[in-house]
Amino acid sequence: MKNTATIALKELKSYLASPMAYIVTGIFMILTGFFFSISSSTYYETSIKGFLEPGNLLLLLLVSVLTMRLLAEERKMGTLELLITAPVRDSEVILGKFLGSLGILTIMLILTLYYPLLLIGYGDPDIGPIFTGYLGIFLLGSASLAVGIFASSLTSNQIVAAVVSGGILFALWFIGYTATFLPEAAGEFIGYLSLSYYYPDFMRGVIDTRGIIYYLSITALFLFLAVRSLENSRWS
Amino acid sequence: MIRVENLTKYYGKRLAVDDISFNVEKGEIVGFLGPNAAGKTTTMRIITGYLAPTQGNVWVADHDIINHSLEARRQIGYLPEAIPLYTDMTVRSYLDFAGRLRGMDSARIIARTDEVIEICHLEEYVDVIIGKLSKGFRQRVGVAQAIIHEPAVLILDEPTIGIDPIQVAMTRQLIRELGKDHTILLSTHILPEVSVICQRVIIIHEGRIVAEDRIDNLSSMMSGSQRFRLQISGPVKKITERLQKVKGIINVSYEESNYIIECAAGQDPRRQIMDEMVRGGWTLLSMEQIGMSLEDIFLKLTAEEEADE
């Protein structure tokens, strides 16, 4: 646990010391702010759907950029040799990296809280969907971070890591859209596997336990795969 | 302290380390000598737990690296060939992170940081970003992270590669001092380096141990013939003929305006050469002994091995 915290804290610090996290957060704020203001002034809606709905794909993209360096850079710079010859478990390394990047995601989402605060200040929004909407985007974000860390564990090239991560995430997102072309049972099954299937429920203010379990499972699955991939590099 | 047994490592189909076994006793400084791609780095990476062996096992302070990897790793300080530095960190924060990874608490890290900074002569650079340090200082930071947790065993992979001669001398001095209370295994491809630092040497070639001995024994093992390089002004043919007549000289060759002479073991023909040159009226410009190079040793050792088979 202590080792995980050490690594998480170090990751968080190096995010805050490098321009990448600021650029990613900046782009996220500008674009979601744009979506939010367009939708609120067009539909006169007191909800944050205008920020959350287009925000999801943007998030998948930005998370891939945010996580690409986590292990690929360590491999490239040789610092992986320090990290995994220290008396630290591979799972602690991966979990530390995950929690560090989750910290940045949390900061990013906290910065967007002024959208709902504006709504509360100038209108009378329904708090329920705002709460579940944030829960949804946080869960989606954490699943994406896990995918990104897995992709970063595969290579020493950060660009490759980002592309692989983006590829997996977009495939998992859009695979749900094929459901309509498939026989009902198969379509439903594919839908359940898709990152996009449960997201609208959260926007509507519904907390579906299956949705929470789904996103947590994806997170756990890809973190597990990242641990295996790190272990595997010892056997190369 | 380190026990390597029947270690074998394949990279895919390529055999990098071929069934090697050796021991490093407590308090010893052992040199791991070999040309590039001999399997030195691979062996060290297996000992430190960076790579898993294909076959065989390693014990570090009686913990084996397969089943008790964390306990084994806790005993080791490791300086890889590519120094593992986070270039965006200051020296202090890097050492702090390295210490925490090894499970040290804050108070001990602060105390030890001051000590290793002093040992590695980094006083003026504690708060400098590592990315701004020169190669020699980076290498010292690398040593500092390897010793911060006071490990029983130090594994140093080519610790003097790529730094300037003054710093090489400093680093060798530092390693000798660390050897007083650490068990050290260091790799190098520079022959004189092992004789300066180490008490014992393990020579590895193409993944196999070709020789293992104390330094003093090794040099006598290598002797057998001596060679000298001479520069003489005068007619080449006559001088060569005269040199060949000197007692003890086995062979004389002339290349790139130098005479290379080889003489039998235990013979020192230098005084006689001088006399002959004076008698002939030629001027001896220089005369130096040529040590056996690493290549010569490998040629000799591998040739002997093939002859044995």
Side-chain angles (χ1 to χ4, degrees):
Chain A
M1 201 58 231
K2 215 178 121 195
N3 295 331
T4 309
T6 299
I7 294 168
L9 215 61
K10 187 242 152 208
E11 283 314 323
L12 200 56
K13 274 187 203 158
S14 63
Y15 269 127
L16 295 176
S18 82
M20 189 55 95
Y22 295 95
I23 294 170
V24 165
T25 310
I27 292 175
F28 187 70
M29 293 299 291
I30 291 168
L31 289 177
T32 56
F34 177 72
F35 299 146
F36 174 69
S37 58
I38 292 286
S39 82
S40 340
S41 50
T42 315
Y43 302 112
Y44 300 105
E45 239 184 8
T46 51
S47 92
I48 54 165
K49 265 163 78 180
F51 139 55
L52 290 173
E53 272 178 359
N56 49 37
L57 288 180
L58 182 65
L59 191 73
L60 301 187
L61 205 67
L62 293 179
V63 159
S64 299
V65 173
L66 213 53
T67 52
M68 67 183 186
R69 52 165 275 276
L70 284 173
L71 287 152
E73 192 183 34
E74 301 258 13
R75 219 180 269 280
K76 181 129 192 159
M77 300 296 287
T79 46
L80 195 65
E81 214 158 342
L82 170 76
L83 205 55
I84 74 174
T85 59
V88 176
R89 290 187 178 83
D90 291 348
S91 54
E92 292 172 325
V93 171
I94 297 295
L95 204 57
K97 299 268 175 191
F98 172 70
L99 292 177
S101 57
L102 196 64
I104 290 294
L105 179 75
T106 309
I107 292 172
M108 255 165 75
L109 292 178
I110 286 175
L111 288 174
T112 66
L113 279 178
Y114 82 92
Y115 307 147
L117 288 178
L118 277 176
L119 292 178
I120 293 168
Y122 291 97
D124 184 20
D126 190 352
I127 301 296
I130 293 178
F131 174 75
T132 59
Y134 268 102
L135 181 64
I137 199 165
F138 181 77
L139 288 171
L140 174 69
S142 87
S144 316
L145 290 171
V147 171
I149 289 168
F150 166 67
S152 186
S153 76
L154 298 174
T155 169
S156 59
N157 185 322
Q158 296 190 38
I159 306 297
V160 171
V163 171
V164 169
S165 160
I168 296 175
L169 286 171
F170 278 78
L172 278 177
W173 182 268
F174 288 110
I175 198 176
Y177 293 18
T178 61
T180 43
F181 306 113
L182 293 170
E184 200 173 334
E188 207 162 321
F189 177 71
I190 293 288
Y192 286 146
L193 294 180
S194 170
L195 279 174
S196 56
Y197 185 78
Y198 297 100
Y199 196 67
D201 282 348
F202 285 102
M203 301 306 103
R204 279 203 304 275
V206 180
I207 296 187
D208 187 343
T209 328
R210 286 180 308 168
I212 297 178
I213 291 172
Y214 167 78
Y215 286 121
L216 292 181
S217 309
I218 291 285
T219 309
L221 172 69
F222 279 93
L223 289 180
F224 171 75
L225 290 176
V227 173
R228 293 315 301 265
S229 145
L230 197 60
E231 279 171 5
N232 205 38
S233 63
R234 291 180 208 264
W235 296 96
S236 64
Chain B
M1 208 61 185
I2 306 174
R3 196 165 91 235
V4 174
E5 274 181 18
N6 305 106
L7 202 66
T8 301
K9 176 74 182 175
Y10 279 92
Y11 290 116
K13 279 191 174 159
R14 193 173 72 79
L15 180 61
V17 174
D18 185 6
D19 192 26
I20 66 172
S21 303
F22 62 88
N23 283 318
V24 180
E25 301 302 328
K26 191 164 192 287
E28 259 191 319
I29 306 182
V30 172
F32 209 30
L33 185 68
N36 295 328
K40 303 185 298 271
T41 297
T42 304
T43 306
M44 291 182 138
R45 283 181 160 176
I46 293 171
I47 296 172
T48 55
Y50 184 69
L51 289 175
T54 312
Q55 264 166 35
N57 206 343
V58 176
W59 284 262
V60 179
D62 295 326
H63 305 287
D64 79 282
I65 53 145
I66 294 174
N67 300 310
H68 301 94
S69 177
L70 291 184
E71 287 86 348
R73 284 188 247 164
R74 220 161 265 143
Q75 308 296 324
I76 298 175
Y78 176 36
L79 176 67
E81 189 178 352
I83 305 161
L85 300 173
Y86 293 102
T87 46
D88 57 347
M89 284 180 146
T90 64
V91 174
R92 193 190 294 280
S93 55
Y94 173 72
L95 291 178
D96 180 81
F97 178 63
R100 277 175 207 283
L101 276 183
R102 275 69 169 264
M104 297 167 72
D105 59 43
S106 306
R108 191 155 158 247
I109 290 177
I110 292 169
R112 270 300 281 171
T113 301
D114 290 342
E115 284 174 36
V116 297
I117 290 291
E118 200 187 317
I119 294 170
C120 301
H121 303 289
L122 284 162
E123 289 89 347
E124 289 162 46
Y125 303 93
V126 201
D127 295 308
V128 175
I129 302 279
I130 292 172
K132 294 188 174 160
L133 294 179
S134 68
K135 178 83 188 33
F137 285 105
R138 289 183 186 208
Q139 193 269 349
R140 288 191 219 172
V141 179
V143 174
Q145 68 73 27
I147 60 173
I148 187 152
H149 55 303
E150 299 177 275
V153 173
L154 276 180
I155 308 279
L156 310 172
D157 195 357
E158 301 266 4
T160 57
I161 205 166
I163 54 178
D164 70 53
I166 297 168
Q167 287 176 327
V168 167
M170 276 183 69
T171 305
R172 288 177 183 166
Q173 178 63 28
L174 176 62
I175 294 170
R176 269 201 301 271
E177 265 163 40
L178 290 172
K180 286 172 191 161
D181 36 33
H182 295 84
T183 302
I184 301 180
L185 178 65
L186 73 94
S187 77
T188 178
H189 63 269
I190 306 160
L191 188 57
E193 189 154 290
V194 283
S195 52
V196 177
I197 310 175
C198 308
Q199 294 135 6
R200 201 154 61 85
V201 62
I202 296 168
I203 299 181
I204 179 171
H205 182 60
E206 288 175 351
R208 282 193 286 178
I209 293 178
V210 290
E212 180 182 356
D213 214 335
R214 297 192 57 80
I215 292 290
D216 7 337
N217 298 345
L218 192 73
S219 41
S220 56
M221 185 171 92
M222 290 310 150
S223 67
S225 66
Q226 278 181 298
R227 296 195 302 162
F228 298 91
R229 182 189 293 125
L230 313 176
Q231 265 190 322
I232 304 163
S233 75
V236 176
K237 206 173 163 214
K238 274 190 182 170
I239 294 175
T240 309
E241 275 169 12
R242 188 69 69 90
L243 281 173
Q244 275 163 343
K245 283 178 193 150
V246 174
K247 189 171 165 268
I249 292 184
I250 303 168
N251 187 28
V252 179
S253 59
Y254 182 76
E255 44 192 67
E256 290 163 11
S257 60
N258 285 316
Y259 298 86
I260 308 287
I261 62 167
E262 212 172 303
C263 37
Q267 298 276 357
D268 192 349
R270 281 178 283 190
R271 174 174 289 276
Q272 242 189 308
I273 293 172
M274 287 285 278
D275 293 345
E276 290 297 326
M277 293 305 109
V278 173
R279 206 164 297 153
W282 306 308
T283 319
L284 182 59
L285 299 171
S286 77
M287 172 154 63
E288 58 174 330
Q289 191 164 6
I290 309 172
M292 219 178 190
S293 70
L294 190 54
E295 290 76 38
D296 297 333
I297 289 183
F298 284 117
L299 283 176
K300 203 170 152 72
L301 285 171
T302 47
E304 277 168 10
E305 204 176 56
E306 273 157 25
D308 287 347
E309 278 169 5

